[in-house]
Amino acid sequence: MKNRFLLVGICLLALSQISFSSLSKPIIDYRIKAALIPEEKAVRGQEVLTWLNDSDEFIGELQFHLYLNAFKNNRSTFMKESLGTHRGFPSDKKNWGYIEVKTLQIENGADLMPDFEYIQPDDGNKDDQTVARVLLPEPVPPHEKITIFIEFYAKLPKVFARSGFYDDFFMVAQWFPKIGVLRDGVWNCHQYHSSSEFFADFGTYEVEITVPKKYVVGACGKRIKEVKNPDGTMTYTHYQEDIHDFAWAACPDFVEFKEKYSLKEPKVETEIILLIHRSHLNQKERYLSSLKNGIEFYSQNYGPYPYQTITLIDPAPRAYGAGGMEYPTLFTSMSFHWMPKWLYITEMVTIHEFGHNYWYGMIGSNEFEEAWLDEGFNTYSEIKAMARYYGEDSSQVNLSWLKVSDLVSQRFQLIGSGKMDPIIKKSWEYYSGGSYSLNSYNKAALTLLTLENYLGKEKMSEIMKSYFERWKFKHPTTEDFIAVAEEVSGLDLGWFFDQFLYSPDKLDYAIGALKSDPLKEAEGIFGGEVKEVEEKKKKEEAGKEKYYRNEVVVIRKGELIFPQEILIRFENGKEIREEWDGKDRWKRFIYVRPSRVKYAKIDPDNKILIDTNFLNNSMTIEENETSLLKWALGCMSRFQDILSFIAL
Ligand SMILES: [Zn+2]
């Protein structure tokens, strides 16, 4: 067994040398044979991993992610953090998942198992077995490769937190021993956390998937071989370069649809593969058209989709814990057979998860440490794509009597949110799962949209394109994005990013007061400035016009500072726009005019999408009404604000 394994490994290694592509610098090369054992709800695997030591150091140990061990018991770090529930779906305590490394060898046959141990670099939780290290008999010299042979057994949990089985539906994800990332000679290999996704190096995957004949299989990359085995099983081989993870799904009830997709500008040629569960076949067109919209939007706005395939997996009913997740060239979406036509959830999830091929798949930032670079960028892109294809006002709910956009639903998340965390933080160190998601998705996306409104759409588009083009396949950090934004805009944006990425504080500006009083006779002793008032008073006495002293006070209620515009409207219909640097706690504007001020609004064009309270952004006065009516009108005005906000 060992020798045969070795030979196969060497052949594959030789093959891998000639097949490296130019999109990414390949660090890893996985050749995996995986056999699904449906009755055990498990996968038996053999893995040949070739890893390049891309550092200038001699590396004496390797570190691996063993993600499935997060579901081994309720003492794992994942289970302690999540309390057994992920995105609202509970784990099944009768169906734990785990991964067992059976053998671990290097090319010369040396057995590494005696030097295999679990480590807990993030929290020291000795019950957590999601990261292991092995000591090597000899270090890997700088810029040299090592090949490791691993046999493993992956027992899948009942679908939970992205992976597992439900009856005969299998979502096989986070399922094989996966090497960590070496950065500057140090391993970056975090435990599997409840609020965290992943980070890995680019390279090549070739995976042979063997399943009983009745199963339909979808997997990352392109299918390069199909073999009927004598025992009645089928083996499907998938191959893909320039990716950093591999997942697959199998179910006898998948119905497969394939369609060529091409785009002229920029040039895109790919094959769409839909694997739709039999019970959701009526959702096919929704999946297909929204995926096409996604490919078009991201290709036109960031760069052409470069892979030869894109596979959409529609999870089986009641396996929704596997839905809405991204892998390179493959993603899981989500729908129900009864999904109403006016509710664009299927479209939103499809576009969002496809979009991850850009910010997660090709940009490949460290999601453990800077999740916003994926989720925030992708939510920003999703909001814009949804608006383009499903209407600025109606991109989430599109009824004749109620329209809600994706943007509005993102903004609603912000209302009443606390200030527990900044946008950038290690994923597992946020106050809660809710705070991780608020900061990494909603606040991050609204921050990028606010930046777009500040710089202008064209400049922002140039920034995003330049960032994607320059950093794809290179694992950029936040600093890299800021450098591109400053270079392209020609502005120092430190004040913006320092506040909005690194501070948990809020941005909230409001109209503090709005007053209008008839101009009074000057009494007492004055300096020169009363002259103008005096002149107006004289005009008024001459019976020409009645003058008012109008006062508008704007206040900064939050800690964060952003330059503001204020719109002031008078009863005679005249409008003034004022600018304020927003630095002080308040600013008062006074106008002596032959008309009463009626309405004032801060940020009149709704550009500052990270303002946490939009209802205090405007104020109206109705002087002549009784106090009860005034109160009622005040309520109406608030309601109008909500409506105008919804109709953004
Ligand atoms: Zn996402």
Side-chain angles (χ1 to χ4, degrees):
M1 185 66 198
K2 191 172 75 184
N3 285 346
R4 203 180 61 191
F5 210 8
L6 189 66
L7 193 65
V8 171
I10 289 166
C11 294
L12 293 177
L13 181 62
L15 190 73
S16 72
Q17 301 298 316
I18 51 165
S19 61
F20 282 166
S21 75
S22 56
L23 291 180
S24 65
K25 179 173 186 180
I27 303 294
I28 50 89
D29 181 281
Y30 288 92
R31 310 283 155 155
I32 305 177
K33 290 173 189 237
L36 179 70
I37 314 162
E39 55 285 5
E40 294 176 25
K41 309 295 185 196
V43 173
R44 191 170 294 131
Q46 297 175 342
E47 174 177 326
V48 182
L49 162 65
T50 302
W51 175 77
L52 169 69
N53 173 9
D54 195 31
S55 76
D56 297 328
E57 313 286 329
F58 282 81
I59 300 302
E61 73 169 53
L62 303 179
Q63 293 191 5
F64 290 90
H65 294 284
L66 299 168
Y67 291 119
L68 282 182
N69 284 342
F71 315 123
K72 198 169 184 179
N73 54 53
N74 63 355
R75 301 271 169 89
S76 72
T77 291
F78 189 107
M79 286 303 195
K80 280 182 159 176
E81 288 172 349
S82 67
L83 302 174
T85 299
H86 188 259
R87 293 184 181 171
F89 299 106
S91 64
D92 181 346
K93 296 206 166 60
K94 290 189 207 107
N95 287 286
W96 300 102
Y98 59 88
I99 178 165
E100 199 184 331
V101 176
K102 301 257 187 197
T103 64
L104 197 65
Q105 294 165 340
I106 47 177
E107 284 145 307
N108 61 13
D111 182 5
L112 300 179
M113 282 312 281
D115 292 311
F116 172 98
E117 66 167 336
Y118 296 112
I119 55 169
Q120 299 80 22
D122 298 337
D123 66 358
N125 168 18
K126 292 290 171 206
D127 293 317
D128 192 72
Q129 298 184 343
T130 57
V131 176
R133 77 166 159 212
V134 283
L135 298 178
L136 298 170
E138 288 188 16
V140 188
H143 311 289
E144 292 210 3
K145 290 179 179 174
I146 184 171
T147 296
I148 307 284
F149 303 88
I150 307 169
E151 289 178 305
F152 64 95
Y153 180 81
K155 168 79 180 72
L156 297 162
K158 196 159 184 175
V159 163
F160 179 62
R162 312 175 182 96
S163 41
F165 71 90
Y166 192 92
D167 290 338
D168 49 10
F169 164 84
F170 291 89
M171 184 68 225
V172 188
Q174 289 83 45
W175 58 288
F176 61 94
K178 190 176 179 192
I179 196 158
V181 174
L182 192 77
R183 279 288 174 272
D184 304 321
V186 178
W187 283 102
N188 189 305
C189 193
H190 293 293
Q191 294 163 246
Y192 197 0
H193 294 275
S194 170
S195 291
S196 172
E197 290 189 347
F198 313 105
F199 182 42
D201 278 313
F202 286 99
T204 301
Y205 282 80
E206 183 173 306
V207 181
E208 292 179 22
I209 299 162
T210 301
V211 292
K213 205 168 137 201
K214 67 173 184 174
Y215 281 83
V216 180
V217 170
C220 290
K222 193 176 164 60
R223 183 165 295 175
I224 55 168
K225 210 161 127 193
E226 276 186 31
V227 176
K228 260 189 202 166
N229 300 312
D231 64 356
T233 58
M234 291 291 296
T235 299
Y236 302 103
T237 306
H238 281 242
Y239 178 85
Q240 188 62 56
E241 298 168 1
D242 304 306
I243 57 173
H244 53 68
D245 199 3
F246 193 97
W248 53 283
C251 181
D253 291 315
F254 278 150
V255 180
E256 185 182 76
F257 300 95
K258 287 184 176 183
E259 190 175 315
K260 295 273 179 214
Y261 174 89
S262 60
L263 186 67
K264 276 199 184 118
E265 191 51 47
K267 193 168 167 45
V268 176
E269 298 280 350
T270 192
E271 182 174 39
I272 291 175
I273 302 162
L274 306 180
L275 291 187
I276 302 182
H277 193 269
R278 205 170 287 286
S279 61
H280 299 150
L281 283 180
N282 65 342
Q283 299 297 300
K284 182 202 158 191
E285 278 312 313
R286 296 183 69 165
Y287 278 139
L288 186 60
S289 63
S290 53
L291 177 51
K292 285 178 181 175
N293 289 342
I295 301 172
E296 181 181 71
F297 181 87
Y298 281 79
S299 295
Q300 287 177 347
N301 284 282
Y302 309 120
Y305 179 72
Y307 299 105
Q308 286 175 286
T309 58
I310 179 70
T311 300
L312 178 155
I313 304 289
D314 164 55
R318 285 180 282 176
Y320 295 117
M325 183 57 197
E326 67 276 11
Y327 301 95
T329 75
L330 176 146
F331 65 93
T332 65
S333 190
M334 199 190 291
S335 199
F336 309 97
H337 73 277
W338 49 262
M339 184 70 84
K341 283 205 169 86
W342 48 264
L343 186 62
Y344 297 133
I345 298 294
T346 309
E347 290 77 6
M348 190 185 75
V349 177
T350 301
I351 286 179
H352 180 100
E353 304 308 335
F354 166 76
H356 274 301
N357 272 284
Y358 283 72
W359 308 120
Y360 146 88
M362 287 183 263
I363 283 287
S365 304
N366 187 337
E367 291 188 275
F368 288 99
E369 297 177 11
E370 295 182 296
W372 87 288
L373 287 175
D374 175 29
E375 295 299 355
F377 277 58
N378 201 36
T379 305
Y380 158 85
S381 311
E382 166 211 307
I383 292 169
K384 290 167 69 74
M386 289 301 290
R388 171 166 159 187
Y389 295 104
Y390 305 99
E392 291 276 347
D393 302 337
S394 57
S395 57
Q396 204 160 83
V397 175
N398 190 10
L399 288 163
S400 57
W401 55 275
L402 179 69
K403 296 196 189 297
V404 181
S405 71
D406 191 4
L407 172 60
V408 162
S409 77
Q410 302 288 341
R411 283 184 62 165
F412 269 125
Q413 316 269 345
L414 209 63
I415 298 172
S417 62
K419 42 182 188 178
M420 309 306 271
D421 296 302
I423 287 176
I424 296 183
K425 202 168 187 180
K426 286 182 175 148
S427 296
W428 63 95
E429 289 180 352
Y430 286 90
Y431 171 69
S432 63
S435 184
Y436 159 76
S437 131
L438 171 78
N439 283 288
S440 309
Y441 290 70
N442 320 110
K443 240 166 84 180
L446 296 171
T447 296
L448 287 172
L449 285 165
T450 301
L451 182 64
E452 175 169 309
N453 289 338
Y454 178 73
L455 297 174
K457 279 193 169 36
E458 265 179 40
K459 199 50 83 188
M460 189 67 177
S461 157
E462 214 185 309
I463 290 172
M464 299 301 276
K465 263 192 177 152
S466 307
Y467 171 64
F468 180 73
E469 184 52 39
R470 190 176 305 174
W471 286 103
K472 62 187 178 185
F473 304 108
K474 292 195 182 91
H475 312 288
T477 63
T478 299
E479 294 307 312
D480 297 321
F481 174 68
I482 294 174
V484 172
E486 292 192 331
E487 182 192 308
V488 174
S489 68
L491 298 172
D492 175 359
L493 295 170
W495 66 272
F496 181 88
F497 291 113
D498 286 352
Q499 292 189 94
F500 298 117
L501 297 182
Y502 297 102
S503 164
D505 288 330
K506 287 187 174 195
L507 183 142
D508 182 20
Y509 285 85
I511 300 293
L514 198 56
K515 281 197 261 177
S516 184
D517 297 306
L519 207 56
K520 280 188 186 144
E521 194 89 38
E523 292 170 346
I525 302 156
F526 300 96
E529 57 193 60
V530 80
K531 233 178 167 182
E532 191 195 359
V533 176
E534 282 293 275
E535 277 167 18
K536 284 176 176 164
K537 191 70 192 160
K538 273 182 200 159
K539 260 189 185 178
E540 187 181 299
E541 278 161 4
K544 284 181 186 150
E545 281 175 302
K546 187 168 172 51
Y547 277 81
Y548 297 88
R549 181 188 183 277
N550 298 299
E551 181 178 324
V552 179
V553 179
V554 285
I555 52 176
R556 173 165 66 84
K557 298 182 90 174
E559 297 306 314
L560 302 186
I561 292 169
F562 198 88
Q564 298 289 330
E565 244 190 297
I566 304 110
L567 169 81
I568 298 118
R569 189 178 299 139
F570 294 86
E571 274 185 342
N572 63 5
K574 288 208 169 129
E575 286 188 354
I576 298 177
R577 279 194 183 224
E578 296 281 2
E579 283 183 2
W580 175 37
D581 65 14
K583 288 181 181 162
D584 288 338
R585 277 290 173 182
W586 59 270
K587 184 167 174 71
R588 179 182 287 126
F589 297 90
I590 293 181
Y591 309 94
V592 177
R593 298 202 149 209
S595 177
R596 293 190 312 159
V597 68
K598 190 179 179 189
Y599 173 80
K601 184 167 191 220
I602 200 158
D603 184 27
D605 303 319
N606 301 308
K607 287 179 171 177
I608 306 167
L609 299 164
I610 35 180
D611 189 313
T612 48
N613 185 352
F614 320 108
L615 298 180
N616 61 16
N617 283 14
S618 65
M619 199 179 272
T620 306
I621 45 173
E622 296 291 338
E623 282 280 332
N624 299 329
E625 315 300 343
T626 65
S627 59
L628 183 63
L629 187 56
K630 204 166 142 187
W631 176 81
L633 286 168
C635 291
M636 276 292 289
S637 149
R638 289 286 152 108
F639 186 61
Q640 276 164 8
D641 283 340
I642 295 173
L643 288 182
S644 71
F645 157 63
I646 285 175
L648 249 181

